[in-house]
Amino acid sequence: MASKLPVSLKDIAEAAGVSTITVSRALRGLPLVKPDTRKQITEIANRLGYVPNQVASSLRSRKTGLIAVIVPTVAGSIFSDTVNSISNELGKAGYQIIIGESSYDIDQEQAVLEALVQRRPDGVIIAGVNHTRTSRELLALMNVPVVEIWDMTDDPVDSVVGFSNRGAAYQFTLALIEKGYRKFAIASGPMEHRNRAQQRAVGHCEALAEKGLSSFGSIVIPHFMGMLSSGETLLKFVTDTSDVDCLFCTNELIAIGATVQCRRAGMRIPDDIAIVGFGNVEAALIIDPPLTTVTIHGAEMGREAARIVFECLSGKRDGHVSIDVGYTITWRGTA
Amino acid sequence: MASKLPVSLKDIAEAAGVSTITVSRALRGLPLVKPDTRKQITEIANRLGYVPNQVASSLRSRKTGLIAVIVPTVAGSIFSDTVNSISNELGKAGYQIIIGESSYDIDQEQAVLEALVQRRPDGVIIAGVNHTRTSRELLALMNVPVVEIWDMTDDPVDSVVGFSNRGAAYQFTLALIEKGYRKFAIASGPMEHRNRAQQRAVGHCEALAEKGLSSFGSIVIPHFMGMLSSGETLLKFVTDTSDVDCLFCTNELIAIGATVQCRRAGMRIPDDIAIVGFGNVEAALIIDPPLTTVTIHGAEMGREAARIVFECLSGKRDGHVSIDVGYTITWRGTA
DNA sequence: TTGTAGGCGTTATCAA
DNA sequence: TTGATAACGCCTACAA
């Protein structure tokens, strides 16, 4: 608070000739204040330009009105639906979110979490179910509602709202095989211990194996590479890998990039090569042909997670909720 | 703080046999603590799982480490570069941002500001230069660095980092006329008193007038309409408006939508109609043809604004800075 | 319906 | 180099 707003409850109390607690009650709309008193107090508060100090309030009441939200990245459109719906949903209830970025790394996630915890959020919503031991301990120690999102697990910290990344990739791959594709290559973001990219790759491979197929190739695209440059890389990859008939991308951005670059290189999609994504972002609709993909219900996950946090905080619920929001295979033009 | 983390400075002080203030100093890395003492304290703090309470610290020190950022919307890609670069830049210095959405409305902006001020941010970065009287008063009252971004003004609240929306539209229009276009129609977001859409429209019309041209039509697209649906509306608009050779869009999303839908309807771009945008977002690069537009330096504005806030807070500077980051006309395929 | 007393956990200030 | 004291602004608990 470099911001020294000069008017406090005490000033209003003095001006109104009542005690600070009466002012506090009046301004918070508690029912035990005489209407006249309240009216007078409200007037004085407005006249003096009073702005409540939520920092002091938070310290005393042990309620910050802050919900920590941790996602891999806020750049790009992947998690923005989720974050927006959390923000909108919790905003209605008077909560504010503070965002941390894990940069797809559980140690970074831990560092971000440690920083956010210092602000004593009333709840935590965190993408992913794989965390460091310290992170899990910290989450438990905080004693606030925690909701993990964007994946499922049998061993949640508290509540979880997600979908099976592995299952989605598995079913999607089966559906693609059903459609006639046989020669798959996979393009993925970096895979680490049980992260979502890995789970998707696993599901994809399981489906291939089940149908007696094997992969024609695989390539990893680093995080934070732009759509177009990953597309160039993938164009080269599919050109160099003979005979692929379907490029299975475990994330939407690289699928879009690949589609754009392959088309610009003169390939016919899906005839020369099919390309599929995973996630469904708005940009998938503006390319030609529009992208066949798995729609992930990011906004819904955010909304449900926010609802759970809110209901736990208002005592309507006890945590330990698991919700599988599923996924939807969305056929468009690229496969 | 539903989050009752059980260990406080006092607990550590007792375990270490020193006073709380010594613990405080040790943990903050202040230079007046004996290395031995510090080492012992650090050890105990780790062992007990101490997490500093920034709420208490903020109350006492009058520093929250929070910077309020207010933008029209965080959905969509328009302001995300700006917000990200603010966040990254301030993050380096240990600040955290809290975001508010004005929804393109100065009364809503005021409401959001009033809510954010209660958290006593150490600084404010706010998109736009047109605010309610109350908002301006509040910003002044807070006595923290304030940076307005995304536009220029002669009468900033404190500092301003932006560019001339009017000037950009004016120059861009002149350049388009130079290129041979004569029959312009304009598509814009809602225009209100001196907002950016209006300034852009004004600049566009000034250029037309200067060259003795007049507009062939205009249409307003409401906020928050998706790219594709605004594109449909615009396709109908240009089909119904005879003879237009260039659709001047004052925002990028509607330009992209229009390009996609016109092309899907079989129009040749730019031969049948040229379409230009304003802003330059990543999606402008993946459509065909890629969009000719004005590149706005959103990340740079964010970076500079963050730098100013930081420098003011560290006493290196006094506020009252004006920076014009300019804009760049980016020729691609649609005009 | 209103008030008194005290404390939330930390840090500024002054003293030793 | 360390400590005692008080205060930041508000709200909980209890009392009247």
Side-chain angles (χ1 to χ4, degrees):
Chain A
M1 278 172 293
S3 158
K4 163 79 184 146
L5 290 175
V7 184
S8 73
L9 282 186
K10 200 166 144 215
D11 300 308
I12 301 175
E14 279 164 13
V18 296
S19 69
T20 60
I21 186 64
T22 301
V23 179
S24 171
R25 293 201 265 244
L27 263 24
R28 277 184 293 158
L30 296 194
L32 344 79
V33 183
K34 188 159 57 167
D36 284 1
T37 318
R38 185 193 307 276
K39 185 152 166 284
Q40 190 207 2
I41 288 174
T42 311
E43 231 157 56
I44 295 176
N46 286 337
R47 183 157 49 74
L48 298 184
Y50 173 68
V51 181
N53 186 327
Q54 188 153 192
V55 178
S57 162
S58 297
L59 179 60
R60 178 62 242 221
S61 69
R62 297 165 171 295
K63 280 176 193 138
T64 55
L66 248 25
I67 307 296
V69 176
I70 301 181
V71 290
T73 174
V74 295
S77 36
I78 307 262
F79 296 99
S80 57
D81 284 351
T82 305
V83 173
N84 285 334
S85 71
I86 293 172
S87 181
N88 293 336
E89 199 68 17
L90 287 172
K92 289 182 209 159
Y95 289 91
Q96 166 88 44
I97 68 172
I98 40 172
I99 299 181
E101 289 185 282
S102 68
S103 305
Y104 294 95
D105 177 280
I106 60 174
D107 293 313
Q108 180 59 27
E109 177 185 88
Q110 179 184 321
V112 163
L113 182 61
E114 282 170 345
L116 292 180
V117 171
Q118 302 193 10
R119 300 200 183 270
R120 299 299 191 268
D122 294 334
V124 179
I125 297 174
I126 184 166
V129 296
N130 180 33
H131 318 288
T132 66
R133 164 178 270 289
T134 304
S135 290
R136 283 190 76 105
E137 285 168 359
L138 199 47
L139 287 169
L141 199 65
M142 291 173 73
N143 204 29
V144 299
V146 173
V147 185
E148 293 164 281
I149 58 176
W150 271 80
D151 209 343
M152 291 303 290
T153 177
D154 294 333
D155 181 32
V157 173
D158 176 9
S159 295
V160 57
V161 179
F163 64 97
S164 168
N165 284 275
R166 180 166 159 180
Y170 173 80
Q171 294 293 350
F172 191 22
T173 304
L174 286 186
L176 289 162
I177 294 169
E178 178 83 12
K179 255 214 155 185
Y181 298 104
R182 290 294 178 273
K183 302 163 182 168
F184 290 88
I186 183 168
S188 168
M191 289 180 274
E192 277 150 37
H193 178 64
R194 297 217 43 186
N195 72 1
R196 287 181 294 283
Q198 201 219 32
Q199 292 296 300
R200 292 171 192 171
V202 167
H204 172 70
C205 292
E206 280 174 349
L208 292 188
E210 188 175 312
K211 296 297 181 184
L213 301 173
S214 56
S215 185
F216 275 59
S218 76
I219 183 171
V220 170
I221 302 292
H223 294 304
F224 312 117
M225 186 182 270
M227 284 193 278
L228 253 18
S229 42
S230 43
E232 277 178 36
T233 307
L234 289 170
L235 169 60
K236 186 164 183 325
F237 170 71
V238 297
T239 320
D240 293 352
T241 312
S242 50
D243 255 3
V244 173
D245 65 9
C246 181
L247 181 66
F248 187 92
C249 301
T250 65
N251 100 40
E252 189 83 345
L253 268 22
I254 62 183
I256 294 173
T259 304
V260 170
Q261 299 292 30
C262 288
R263 187 199 57 217
R264 288 186 183 165
M267 299 174 77
R268 290 168 309 145
I269 299 167
D271 300 325
D272 292 338
I273 189 166
I275 297 173
V276 298
F278 202 111
N280 194 14
V281 304
E282 195 180 21
L285 284 161
I286 64 172
I287 59 174
D288 278 304
L291 190 70
T292 291
T293 190
V294 176
T295 299
I296 291 173
H297 308 299
E300 188 183 347
M301 285 187 279
R303 212 178 313 117
E304 289 300 311
R307 210 173 44 76
I308 290 169
V309 167
F310 173 68
E311 289 181 3
C312 288
L313 289 176
S314 39
K316 288 180 198 148
R317 174 162 252 175
D318 216 48
H320 311 297
V321 190
S322 283
I323 298 179
D324 187 334
V325 300
Y327 52 87
T328 311
I329 295 175
T330 302
W331 298 102
R332 294 198 283 239
T334 59
Chain B
M1 279 171 291
S3 158
K4 162 79 183 147
L5 288 174
V7 184
S8 74
L9 282 186
K10 203 168 142 212
D11 300 310
I12 301 174
E14 278 164 13
V18 297
S19 69
T20 59
I21 185 66
T22 301
V23 179
S24 171
R25 293 199 265 243
L27 262 23
R28 277 184 293 159
L30 297 194
L32 346 79
V33 184
K34 188 157 59 168
D36 284 1
T37 318
R38 184 193 308 276
K39 184 150 167 284
Q40 191 208 1
I41 288 173
T42 311
E43 232 157 55
I44 296 176
N46 286 336
R47 184 156 48 73
L48 298 184
Y50 172 69
V51 181
N53 186 328
Q54 187 153 192
V55 178
S57 164
S58 297
L59 178 61
R60 178 63 243 221
S61 69
R62 295 166 171 294
K63 280 178 194 137
T64 55
L66 249 25
I67 306 296
V69 176
I70 302 181
V71 289
T73 176
V74 294
S77 37
I78 307 261
F79 295 100
S80 56
D81 284 352
T82 305
V83 173
N84 285 334
S85 72
I86 293 172
S87 181
N88 294 336
E89 199 69 15
L90 287 172
K92 289 183 211 159
Y95 288 92
Q96 165 88 43
I97 69 173
I98 39 172
I99 299 182
E101 289 185 281
S102 69
S103 305
Y104 294 95
D105 177 281
I106 60 174
D107 293 313
Q108 180 59 27
E109 176 185 89
Q110 180 184 320
V112 163
L113 182 62
E114 282 169 345
L116 292 181
V117 171
Q118 303 193 9
R119 300 200 182 270
R120 299 298 192 269
D122 293 334
V124 179
I125 297 175
I126 184 167
V129 297
N130 179 34
H131 317 288
T132 66
R133 164 177 269 290
T134 305
S135 291
R136 283 190 77 106
E137 285 168 1
L138 199 48
L139 287 169
L141 199 63
M142 291 173 72
N143 205 29
V144 300
V146 174
V147 185
E148 293 164 280
I149 57 176
W150 271 80
D151 208 344
M152 292 304 290
T153 176
D154 294 334
D155 180 32
V157 173
D158 176 9
S159 295
V160 57
V161 179
F163 64 98
S164 169
N165 283 275
R166 180 168 160 179
Y170 173 80
Q171 294 293 350
F172 191 22
T173 304
L174 286 186
L176 289 162
I177 295 169
E178 177 83 10
K179 254 215 154 185
Y181 299 104
R182 290 293 178 274
K183 301 164 182 168
F184 290 88
I186 183 168
S188 170
M191 289 180 275
E192 276 150 38
H193 177 63
R194 297 217 43 186
N195 72 2
R196 287 181 294 282
Q198 201 219 32
Q199 292 297 299
R200 292 171 193 172
V202 166
H204 172 69
C205 293
E206 281 174 349
L208 291 188
E210 187 174 314
K211 296 297 179 183
L213 301 174
S214 55
S215 186
F216 276 57
S218 77
I219 182 171
V220 170
I221 302 291
H223 293 304
F224 311 118
M225 185 183 269
M227 284 194 280
L228 253 18
S229 42
S230 44
E232 277 177 37
T233 307
L234 290 169
L235 169 60
K236 187 167 181 325
F237 170 71
V238 297
T239 322
D240 293 354
T241 312
S242 50
D243 255 4
V244 172
D245 66 8
C246 181
L247 181 65
F248 187 92
C249 302
T250 65
N251 101 39
E252 189 82 346
L253 269 22
I254 63 184
I256 293 172
T259 303
V260 170
Q261 300 292 31
C262 288
R263 186 199 57 217
R264 287 187 183 164
M267 299 174 78
R268 290 167 309 145
I269 299 168
D271 300 324
D272 292 338
I273 189 166
I275 298 175
V276 299
F278 202 110
N280 194 12
V281 304
E282 195 180 20
L285 284 161
I286 64 172
I287 59 174
D288 277 304
L291 190 71
T292 291
T293 189
V294 177
T295 299
I296 290 173
H297 308 299
E300 187 183 348
M301 285 187 278
R303 211 179 316 118
E304 288 301 310
R307 208 172 46 75
I308 290 169
V309 167
F310 173 69
E311 289 181 3
C312 288
L313 290 176
S314 41
K316 287 181 199 147
R317 175 161 251 175
D318 216 48
H320 311 298
V321 190
S322 284
I323 298 179
D324 188 334
V325 299
Y327 51 87
T328 311
I329 295 175
T330 303
W331 297 102
R332 293 198 281 240
T334 60

